[in-house]
Amino acid sequence: MGKLSKIGWHVLYVKSRHEIKVDKLLKENKIESFVPMIKTIRSWSDRKKTIEIPLFSSYVFVNIKSSLDLYKALSVDGACAYIRFGSEYAIVKQQEIDQIKFIVGEKDITDIEIDNNNCKVGDIKKIQYGALNGVECEILNINNVNKIIVRVKSLQQNIKATIPSCYLKEISEVA
């Protein structure tokens, strides 16, 4: 899994719609965790309802205090992996956690949403991590992750995949 570089708040990627379950299991294991929740209105054909959803889909913030915590948190049912940028774990500063807690906890702040997309449908990007490092791709769809297409012109084939935004880089940044 790699060496624990720092103690502090890490970002645990979890199975879809398992944020609350993972948060509860971490707390039962005496590991501090945080899932920022926001209120949103969902509409059906016959009604509207206000529900709470995670601000960051599939993310649970975990306060790691030891190597044991790092492994215990990852072993919880529903946990998949720690978010990384290359070989480095994504570390969230305490100040940032406090800011997120304030924003989602303040009743006067409404219409909260995240915007992590520097991508637009049709953009050409270069993948910067993993097995596809260096491959150019086109953005097909945007949500919490990007649907991309890699065109293999010599074979007249296209590969479609879903990839996290953090894996993509502007072509101009790469040069």
Side-chain angles (χ1 to χ4, degrees):
M1 178 181 343
K3 190 176 173 188
L4 177 64
S5 57
K6 288 185 179 180
I7 61 170
W9 288 96
H10 287 62
V11 185
L12 191 58
Y13 184 80
V14 301
K15 290 180 184 175
S16 179
R17 300 179 188 218
H18 279 67
E19 300 91 351
I20 305 295
K21 178 184 177 184
V22 169
D23 183 52
K24 182 178 179 234
L25 291 171
L26 289 166
K27 287 179 170 124
E28 286 173 4
N29 282 291
K30 309 281 189 261
I31 298 173
E32 185 181 3
S33 60
F34 170 53
V35 178
M37 301 294 288
I38 58 170
K39 287 183 169 65
T40 187
I41 297 172
R42 290 290 157 103
S43 299
W44 288 270
S45 59
D46 60 337
R47 62 194 159 98
K48 288 185 178 183
K49 185 176 181 181
T50 300
I51 62 169
E52 275 199 329
I53 61 169
L55 178 60
F56 301 98
S57 180
S58 296
Y59 284 10
V60 175
F61 296 97
V62 184
N63 195 1
I64 300 299
K65 297 184 173 152
S66 69
S67 294
L68 181 60
D69 282 354
L70 191 77
Y71 293 102
K72 276 174 53 178
L74 193 56
S75 68
V76 166
D77 186 37
C80 297
Y82 286 100
I83 299 296
R84 294 175 180 228
F85 296 103
S87 61
E88 296 292 318
Y89 289 111
I91 305 285
V92 182
K93 296 175 185 162
Q94 182 65 51
Q95 178 185 1
E96 294 169 320
I97 293 291
D98 294 341
Q99 289 170 341
I100 294 167
K101 285 181 177 180
F102 174 77
I103 290 169
V104 298
E106 185 62 39
K107 293 182 184 355
D108 293 335
I109 299 175
T110 59
D111 299 325
I112 301 168
E113 59 185 48
I114 59 169
D115 180 12
N116 62 352
N117 293 321
N118 299 331
C119 302
K120 294 185 281 308
V121 172
D123 280 357
I124 304 297
K125 300 281 185 174
K126 189 169 271 196
I127 300 171
Q128 62 180 349
Y129 297 113
L132 296 176
N133 187 13
V135 172
E136 288 187 12
C137 60
E138 179 183 342
I139 306 299
L140 296 179
N141 185 20
I142 300 171
N143 46 27
N144 285 331
V145 288
N146 296 296
K147 187 67 116 176
I148 62 159
I149 186 167
V150 176
R151 300 189 192 285
V152 185
K153 292 176 185 163
S154 61
L155 298 177
Q156 297 182 350
Q157 297 288 321
N158 296 321
I159 302 167
K160 291 181 187 175
T162 301
I163 191 165
S165 299
C166 63
Y167 275 49
L168 301 173
K169 209 174 210 179
E170 295 287 335
I171 297 290
S172 59
E173 290 179 29
V174 176

